[in-house]
Amino acid sequence: MKKRIILVISTLILLAAVPVMGAEQLKLMLDWFPNVDHLPIYLAQESGYFKDQGLTVEIITPSETSDGLKLAAAGQVDLAVSYQPQTIIAADQGLDLKAVAPLVIHPLTTLLFLDKTIKTPADLSGKNIGYTVPGLMDVLLHAFANLNGVKNYTPINVGFTILPALVSGKVDAVMGPFKTYETVVMKQQGYTARFFELENNGIPDYEELIFVAGSKTLAKKEAAIHKFTKAIQLAMAQLETDPTTALKLYLKAVPEADANVETAAFELTRPYFAGQNSHDPAKWQAFADFALTYGLIKNHVDTAGLIHTWHE
């Protein structure tokens, strides 16, 4: 009798330790450390939307922001969170990728500064201007300067040491910080951040964050990836109707997050989350054409072939 009880208990423990039978597993790599931009992903996990779709999703944090695209193209992860501009650049460089769904549908990236005497972009003429990501933010800075009459500035790579670079006077502004996140962190530390929004100063509107898959992975796992996008849309709907619960579930899933920062950032980010499962082809092509003009890419990219369209 005792052996039978032990066998039953052992079986129950084993069953609890393995994925739900029949569930398809997907590996998702984030673009950076977990933060409120990823809230719909963790909400889908915590609310059981992935499970309801017959999926188990492993969420992985990268070492570098570019890791996800490379690993997705190589089929080493099934999905990656990335950015529309980087995805267009990667396609120009020959990576075989497909954008499968939007996450944040407008730019969060800004040209940020602390100096309250700066009123217009032209006031940055002759100043030191930092940038965060070489090969992207320095080129966007160049385009922004050309479009807005910023003359004789000095570009400086500050990486992600944004606030120290500004406070020390090393730079007068930085291209790359998010208006929904770095501004909150700075406020918490006693600084009032000001910024110019890219899309209101000549840079075409674009989707800040998207989900990307390698083309071969998408062909092999199209049904599962479609289910993933449906689960994300359910999470989007929940955060729209019940943001308080959505935030609580996110903070439960990411206990290491600073609740004060994440709460304030969530309120700023909420309007930018995608409300649909599809990309805007015109927006994509407009940015790709802009990227070619200003040297982000070397060749014309037909973004129609880069976007995957779901047929519900």
Side-chain angles (χ1 to χ4, degrees):
M1 181 67 178
K2 186 180 291 185
K3 288 182 178 178
R4 185 178 298 171
I5 292 172
I6 292 172
L7 179 61
V8 169
I9 292 173
S10 298
T11 303
L12 290 172
I13 292 172
L14 183 62
L15 287 172
V18 299
V20 178
M21 185 166 294
E24 186 155 7
Q25 298 182 55
L26 293 175
K27 286 186 179 181
L28 167 69
M29 178 164 278
L30 302 178
D31 59 303
W32 201 231
F33 65 89
N35 61 75
V36 77
D37 297 336
H38 309 127
L39 185 146
I41 301 167
Y42 288 98
L43 182 56
Q45 190 87 287
E46 292 295 313
S47 295
Y49 297 136
F50 291 143
K51 182 179 178 181
D52 291 345
Q53 293 287 337
L55 302 173
T56 59
V57 178
E58 180 184 358
I59 303 171
I60 306 167
T61 301
S63 299
E64 298 287 344
T65 57
S66 60
D67 288 352
L69 285 176
K70 295 173 184 175
L71 294 176
Q76 295 180 36
V77 297
D78 301 303
L79 290 160
V81 176
S82 193
Y83 313 83
Q84 179 186 327
Q86 279 94 328
T87 303
I88 291 171
I89 293 169
D92 179 57
Q93 294 172 348
L95 293 186
D96 195 4
L97 298 162
K98 290 284 187 179
V100 299
L103 176 57
V104 173
I105 57 172
H106 296 294
L108 303 181
T109 298
T110 65
L111 182 56
L112 181 145
F113 50 93
L114 299 177
D115 185 351
K116 61 184 179 182
T117 67
I118 297 172
K119 304 295 185 182
T120 70
D123 293 335
L124 290 166
S125 294
K127 297 185 181 297
N128 295 329
I129 306 179
Y131 59 89
T132 57
V133 181
L136 175 63
M137 293 305 168
D138 52 336
V139 181
L140 283 180
L141 173 57
H142 171 69
F144 183 95
N146 280 353
L147 289 163
N148 292 281
V150 181
K151 310 287 186 181
N152 303 317
Y153 70 94
T154 302
I156 299 173
N157 181 1
V158 300
F160 288 95
T161 60
I162 297 165
L163 186 56
L166 287 167
V167 172
S168 68
K170 180 180 180 179
V171 297
D172 301 286
V174 179
M175 175 65 81
F178 277 10
K179 60 189 173 188
T180 54
Y181 203 84
E182 276 79 8
T183 57
V184 173
V185 174
M186 289 181 184
K187 184 176 182 180
Q188 190 181 55
Q189 297 184 37
Y191 297 94
T192 300
R194 296 167 173 82
F195 54 84
F196 297 122
E197 294 178 312
L198 304 191
E199 67 276 25
N200 291 329
N201 288 280
I203 308 293
D205 189 17
Y206 62 87
E207 295 169 358
E208 186 71 62
L209 291 171
I210 60 174
F211 294 105
V212 180
S215 295
K216 291 181 180 177
T217 300
L218 180 60
K220 187 190 304 181
K221 298 186 176 183
E222 183 173 2
I225 292 173
H226 194 189
K227 290 175 182 178
F228 172 90
T229 67
K230 289 179 178 179
I232 293 295
Q233 285 305 300
L234 289 171
M236 296 284 193
Q238 182 181 350
L239 74 83
E240 182 66 27
T241 58
D242 191 1
T244 301
T245 299
L247 182 60
K248 285 180 179 178
L249 289 173
Y250 162 74
L251 291 173
K252 175 187 172 186
V254 188
E256 68 274 17
D258 183 322
N260 291 327
V261 169
E262 299 293 290
T263 299
F266 176 54
E267 289 306 313
L268 294 174
T269 308
R270 275 177 59 194
Y272 296 97
F273 284 122
Q276 72 285 330
N277 211 19
S278 59
H279 300 282
D280 182 339
K283 180 191 291 189
W284 273 69
Q285 193 59 58
F287 192 89
D289 294 343
F290 164 84
L292 181 61
T293 299
Y294 283 95
L296 273 170
I297 57 177
K298 296 179 180 179
N299 308 289
H300 173 77
V301 173
D302 181 0
T303 58
L306 192 52
I307 298 171
H308 184 75
T309 301
W310 298 109
H311 301 287
E312 303 294 340

